[in-house]
Structure formats: structure tokens, C-alpha cells
Amino acid sequence: MATIGDFDPLNSTVPATKIEVTVSCRNLLDMDTFSKSDPVVVLYVQGLGTKEWREFGRTEVIENTLNPDFVRKFVLDYFFEEKQNLRFDVYNVDMRSCNLSKHDFLGQIFCTLGEIIGSPGGRLERTLSLGAAESRNSRVTLPQSGILDSGIPGKKCGSIVFTAEELSNCRDIATMQFCANKLDKKDFFGKSDPFLVFYRSNEDGTFTICHKTEVIKNNLNPVWQSFTIPVRALCNGDYDRTVKVDVYDWDRDGSHDFIGEFTTSYRELSRGQSQFNVYEVRNLNFKIYKNNSVNSGTVTLLSFKVESEHTFVDYIRGGTQLNFTVAIDFTASNGNPSQPTSLHYMSPYQMNAYAMALKAVGEIIQDYDSDKLFPAYGFGAKLPPDGKISHGFPLNSNTENPNCVGIEGVLEAYFHTLRTVQLYGPTNFAPVINQVARCAAEVTDGSQYFVLLMITDGVISDMAQTKEAVVNAASLPMSLIIVGVGPAEFDAMEELDGDEVRVSSRGRFAERDIVQFVPFRDYIDRSGNQVLSMARLAKDVLAEIPDQLMSYMKSRGIEARPPQPATSDPTSDPTSTGTAKQNNTRP
């Protein structure tokens, strides 16, 4: 008997979207004696949670220019919730060789895909660095004069410009409805309780679940509700890729009975209701069907339509800023910070759980905040000099301006606060949530969206007030991330994370699901690879932010603004998109 487990969208590998990155360079080093350089750009990507770089692709080579505008694009899968590290190396091609060490190294930059997308208008310009040139290429000599951005002595070697654009087919949304006829009866005392499960085929022959319909009870001729799914989730841009649909009979114990399956494709579905979209449901486990029938029923496509909608990337390119705020638990249940048993203990060898969670999440979100100024608060401590308990004090001790400069600034303020306050209690969430909500309430035009990260070790003391605060915040441009550290039970957090049942207060339900909770202990890597485990934590807590932002924008009818126009480039060389070298000269 075939069975199916619960659908876990966080484990799906479908990218949020595909981003096309265009590359130009300005004022490159001139390495040729009798002509200008012949540049090429090589892109390297870094695996999630690893330090290894692998080559992703190369632009074409453009001859005799220091200001190339490359035609060949880099198309990258984009995941908001991951820190996607990129490295761009620029070379001057001198000979017919694919070996990059045979060519002149002109410079490199490191950035993330999020930085490119989060820059105004999706345009990012960076100064190239020759930082590791001597070890990479003995043919490059660093002169005595000049200072690079990295502080390494060397010649100024120009800049590289990126523009990011979302591929158009990534914004398509398909809405469809199915019914079935004469499905097999699987229940002894009644008819079947059927539902459909849709899978996208992968290049290696495996299948990834991408949608599950609701269950229709006690019905062999069900009509399921229409549903909407991103086209990229169904076929990842390949309209002819196989889509497999399984038909199951729901059982309360989770051991659902397999009725049968059929296959189709996005292209076939897009034809709409026709004779091509009546599918025989077959169970290949049985060679002979009961009553000599040739199938286990049929499934019919009743309707199909495709629409384009604004995406998360549209809002970011249109100028929407993510305002990131941090709140850290300073209650006594964390233990004495000077003792190794404390959750706040500052080991000389490793960051504590609070710092690791803050760094993992903050380093991703900061790419979407142009000023890199982050308000940071503590709660549950007695403050000097009078020992007054506070549930929303600025970590930098500046009540007029609680902003810290960058994630490193937040960490410094956190470490300083540990040495100056007395851990106390209780664990009240509502004051900080309301504080951020007041800021969010002042923004109604879609220009800003607020993300509050709360890191805590214990049971919430003001649960009723917290639920009221979450319900109120759900109508504002705001999301709440909670990371629970330590061994405590976090049942209350699960209640706030309304994936199954929307949180409510005094009979009023939250307008949107804005809370994402994870326990830090689920991400402790026993093998010691904390880089990978923190990447997983950030991925899980941030995965819902794009949909939460878009749900708010849609509910308020806020359209994405047009991308901010890139500034004109007076150094552009009209011949810089000239004839590329032939294949046999391209590295």
C-alpha cells in the first residue's frame, strides 16, 4: 500500500524565483601594450553553509575595451531566506586557453545576491579589488601607490556594475480546478475520502511535492475547490516537465490508501478544459482492475487560467525597505552570564545561542535595509542605576536613538549590555511587539515592512497581552520571528505560530499569519558544523517573510512601484558590446 506523509513546504527545493544578473565593468586596468584589455567576468557561487567556491559561469569575452557591457547574463535561482554568496573575478584574456591562470587577473568582488536585488533599482556598483592577486596570478604585480577599499595596497582597478531583473515567467500564477468520476471505493463502511497530491519532476527522475488539495469526504465523484499555485512551483520554468498527480483515500491514522495516479504537464494543463485533460487514474500495483475496468476512475480539469502578479522582488526593486529590529531576553532564567551554564555565557571559543541566531538571521535581512541601522532592545532586566525593571530598553542605552550600526553593532551592544544590567524578569513580549507595531502603524504606503526578531529562553509571562499584540500587528506591515533557546518547553510559541489555527484574542482572529517560531535546539549540529546549522535556522525562520509581505500589500491594494531608474553612466563605451571572441578563444 502506498502512503503519503504531510506536505512540508519548507523542505521543497523550488526557488522563490529566477533572477537575471547583467554585468558591466568600468575603468578596468589596461594590461595590453598595444591595445586595451579583453575582459571576461567569471562568477563563482558558494554552497549553503560551506566555504567552497564553484564556478557558475562566464560572460563572453569582449575585445579591446576597459568599459565592457556584457551581453551574456547569469540566471540564478533566488532564495530570500538564504545568504547566497557570490564572487565575481575579472580577467584579461590573452591567449586561447580555458585555464584562467594563463590570463591577467584584473580584480574581484564578493557580494550576495540579496545585496544586488536589495540595491536601489536592483543596481549595485562595487570597486574591484586585487586583494588576492599575487597568490592567484603571478603575472599581476601590485604597485606601491594606491589604496584599495579593502585596505590592501595596490592600484585602483575600476568597478563592476550589476543589474538584477526577475524573469517574467516567474511571476505567473496558475489557478485550476479538478473533479473526479467513479473513483475506487477504498473504505469498508463507506465510500472513499479522496484528495489529490501534485508533484513536480526533477532532473534526476525524482519528484518533489508542490500541492495537496483538500479532502472530500465520502464521495467517489468529488469536485475539489479551485487552487492557485506559482507556475515555477509546478514546473520550474519548463512547460513540458512531467507533473505527476496521485489520488489518495484519506485515512485518519495517516496511512492513506493509494487509489492511482496520472501524469500531465504545465503545457497540457494550460490548454484548459478539453478532451486532452480527462485523465485515467491508474494503479500500477494492480494488473487487473475490479469489474474488468481499465482504470480506477478519471480526473478531469474543470478550469485553468494564468495571471501575472507582483512578486516580492518587484516590491524590493520598487524601493520597499525591510526594517529589522531585534529584541533579546535578559530574564534570570537564562542563568548567570559569567557561568558557562548560562545561555548568555560569552565563551572565547564560540558565540552563544543568542549571538548565533541574531547573526544568522540579521546577515540575510540586512541586505534589504539601505541604511543598515537596526533598533535593538532587551527585555526582562533591571537597569542601572536604580534597578528599575524594563521590558523594552535600548541595547545601546540611547532612548532617543536605539539604532545600532550593522549586525556587528547589534552584537557589540548586546555584549556590552550583558555586563551592565541585572538579569531578572518576567518574560513579557507585548511591550516590544507594541513598540515596533507603533512604528509600523505610521507607514501605510508600502515603502517599509518591519521584521521583529525576538530571542527568548522561556515561557511567556504575558500571554494574553502578547496574543492581543500579535492580532493587532497582523493588520500592519510587520512580521514576528521568535527563536527559542535552551531546554524549555515552547508550547505557547507554537500557539502564536498560527500555521494550523490563526491566533486570536478576545474573539478576534489575526488578519494574517505573521509569526514564525523555531526552537534553537533543533539546529545544533552534533558534527560541529555550526555554519551549516545556522544557515538552516535562518532559512526556516525567514522562508515565510516574502509571502507575509505580499499578503499585506495585496490586502491593502498596494501595488509595487516601478524600479528606481539606474543612474546614467557617463563612462559607458559605445563599442563595449562589440564582437566577442570566437568560441575557440573564450576561456
Side-chain angles (χ1 to χ4, degrees):
M1 177 188 301
T3 61
I4 180 171
D6 292 333
F7 174 35
D8 181 6
L10 290 182
N11 288 329
S12 176
T13 58
V14 62
T17 188
K18 286 185 179 292
I19 299 295
E20 183 181 75
V21 177
T22 302
V23 183
S24 300
C25 296
R26 295 292 176 262
N27 302 314
L28 293 175
L29 288 175
D30 191 355
M31 304 299 292
D32 292 344
T33 304
F34 300 106
S35 64
K36 297 177 182 178
S37 295
D38 304 325
V40 65
V41 175
V42 185
L43 168 60
Y44 297 86
V45 297
Q46 195 173 46
L48 182 65
T50 73
K51 296 183 178 180
E52 296 180 2
W53 292 98
R54 63 177 179 83
E55 183 177 327
F56 181 84
R58 306 181 186 188
T59 65
E60 75 276 20
V61 179
I62 299 182
E63 295 179 311
N64 197 30
T65 179
L66 304 183
N67 301 295
D69 295 315
F70 296 100
V71 174
R72 184 175 298 163
K73 323 288 187 183
F74 297 116
V75 178
L76 296 155
D77 289 338
Y78 168 59
F79 300 87
F80 164 78
E81 65 274 15
E82 294 181 10
K83 185 179 182 182
Q84 295 178 263
N85 291 321
L86 309 176
R87 187 184 98 207
F88 294 87
D89 291 359
V90 185
Y91 288 87
N92 170 43
V93 176
D94 273 346
M95 59 189 69
R96 298 182 179 182
S97 174
C98 293
N99 187 345
L100 292 173
S101 66
K102 303 290 186 182
H103 308 289
D104 298 319
F105 178 67
L106 301 182
Q108 72 178 183
I109 70 106
F110 297 85
C111 68
T112 67
L113 184 55
E115 284 182 273
I116 301 175
I117 295 171
S119 299
R123 183 183 187 276
L124 176 68
E125 183 167 2
R126 286 284 181 82
T127 301
L128 289 164
S129 167
L130 283 174
E134 288 182 316
S135 61
R136 176 181 279 90
N137 190 342
S138 59
R139 300 177 61 190
V140 176
T141 302
L142 295 178
Q144 297 297 320
S145 62
I147 300 295
L148 295 174
D149 284 354
S150 60
I152 301 173
K155 180 184 276 187
K156 293 181 179 179
C157 47
S159 63
I160 188 167
V161 182
F162 309 104
T163 54
E165 187 171 358
E166 189 174 18
L167 294 184
S168 59
N169 64 350
C170 292
R171 65 187 70 241
D172 289 345
I173 304 294
T175 301
M176 61 191 85
Q177 185 180 21
F178 290 86
C179 70
N181 187 44
K182 297 181 179 179
L183 294 178
D184 278 355
K185 177 179 176 297
K186 293 291 185 179
D187 293 342
F188 187 76
F189 294 108
K191 301 175 181 178
S192 294
D193 305 321
F195 66 96
L196 304 177
V197 183
F198 291 74
Y199 300 87
R200 180 186 71 253
S201 62
N202 302 316
E203 292 181 358
D204 61 359
T206 61
F207 288 90
T208 298
I209 188 171
C210 56
H211 183 74
K212 183 167 63 176
T213 69
E214 78 279 11
V215 176
I216 304 294
K217 293 290 187 71
N218 199 34
N219 195 328
L220 301 182
N221 302 291
V223 179
W224 289 280
Q225 295 178 9
S226 63
F227 64 90
T228 298
I229 184 172
V231 171
R232 65 179 182 275
L234 198 63
C235 66
N236 208 11
D238 180 359
Y239 292 172
D240 296 307
R241 180 176 296 199
T242 297
V243 175
K244 183 168 75 78
V245 184
D246 287 351
V247 186
Y248 284 93
D249 168 40
W250 178 85
D251 284 332
R252 187 179 301 276
D253 62 2
S255 60
H256 311 307
D257 298 319
F258 181 66
I259 296 177
E261 67 180 37
F262 63 91
T263 60
T264 182
S265 67
Y266 173 80
R267 189 180 303 279
E268 191 171 273
L269 291 170
S270 64
R271 297 172 180 170
Q273 186 178 8
S274 69
Q275 70 273 19
F276 300 107
N277 289 328
V278 178
Y279 302 98
E280 292 188 350
V281 178
R282 293 182 175 274
N283 187 339
L284 301 181
N285 294 326
F286 300 101
K287 294 182 179 180
I288 301 176
Y289 290 90
K290 64 180 184 179
N291 301 326
N292 295 320
S293 63
V294 296
N295 56 50
S296 296
T298 59
V299 170
T300 301
L301 176 67
L302 292 177
S303 63
F304 185 95
K305 68 176 181 178
V306 179
E307 300 173 304
S308 292
E309 66 173 8
H310 289 302
T311 66
F312 175 74
V313 173
D314 288 333
Y315 286 103
I316 296 300
R317 294 187 71 221
T320 297
Q321 295 280 300
L322 297 188
N323 285 344
F324 181 49
T325 303
V326 178
I328 295 177
D329 184 336
F330 284 88
T331 57
S333 55
N334 284 280
N336 187 340
S338 64
Q339 300 298 316
T341 54
S342 171
L343 294 171
H344 281 303
Y345 179 65
M346 293 184 290
S347 166
Y349 307 107
Q350 180 176 299
M351 284 185 171
N352 62 37
Y354 281 91
M356 283 195 288
L358 167 59
K359 185 175 173 63
V361 176
E363 284 189 341
I364 294 175
I365 287 189
Q366 70 177 350
D367 289 343
Y368 305 89
D369 190 323
S370 60
D371 61 16
K372 303 295 187 286
L373 298 176
F374 306 117
Y377 299 95
F379 57 93
K382 284 186 174 181
L383 307 184
D386 55 3
K388 182 179 179 180
I389 300 174
S390 175
H391 301 293
F393 59 91
L395 295 187
N396 65 1
S397 303
N398 187 340
T399 55
E400 298 298 321
N401 182 10
N403 291 330
C404 298
V405 180
I407 298 304
E408 293 302 321
V410 177
L411 288 169
E412 289 176 11
Y414 161 57
F415 294 141
H416 175 74
T417 301
L418 281 176
R419 296 189 290 268
T420 59
V421 304
Q422 178 187 349
L423 274 60
Y424 203 70
T427 307
N428 289 353
F429 272 30
V432 171
I433 296 174
N434 289 330
Q435 192 161 342
V436 176
R438 284 192 291 272
C439 296
E442 297 176 359
V443 183
T444 59
D445 61 354
S447 62
Q448 299 179 60
Y449 191 86
F450 293 75
V451 179
L452 170 59
L453 169 65
M454 301 190 74
I455 313 176
T456 183
D457 84 310
V459 178
I460 299 176
S461 303
D462 63 338
M463 189 60 179
Q465 293 88 341
T466 295
K467 290 168 69 174
E468 177 77 7
V470 169
V471 170
N472 291 335
S475 63
L476 301 171
M478 178 175 169
S479 290
L480 173 60
I481 297 168
I482 305 173
V483 178
V485 299
E489 294 299 325
F490 294 109
D491 293 345
M493 310 300 182
E494 300 287 359
E495 183 179 352
L496 294 177
D497 188 351
D499 288 337
E500 299 297 332
V501 179
R502 193 71 56 84
V503 65
S504 64
S505 174
R506 294 188 292 182
R508 188 163 58 102
F509 284 88
E511 181 180 318
R512 301 179 297 126
D513 173 19
I514 65 167
V515 180
Q516 179 70 10
F517 165 75
V518 298
F520 185 87
R521 57 176 173 255
D522 288 356
Y523 299 87
I524 297 175
D525 193 316
R526 304 302 178 187
S527 66
N529 188 348
Q530 290 300 342
V531 175
L532 179 58
S533 59
M534 288 304 97
R536 287 179 48 242
L537 181 145
K539 180 179 176 69
D540 285 355
V541 298
L542 292 173
E544 295 183 11
I545 296 295
D547 285 342
Q548 290 173 355
L549 180 149
M550 289 189 295
S551 71
Y552 172 79
M553 300 297 186
K554 290 179 182 177
S555 69
R556 298 299 183 269
I558 299 174
E559 298 284 327
R561 297 186 176 112
Q564 302 174 24
T567 56
S568 60
D569 189 349
T571 66
S572 179
D573 183 348
T575 66
S576 64
T577 55
T579 305
K581 292 186 179 179
Q582 298 302 311
N583 289 338
N584 59 354
T585 64
R586 186 181 302 130

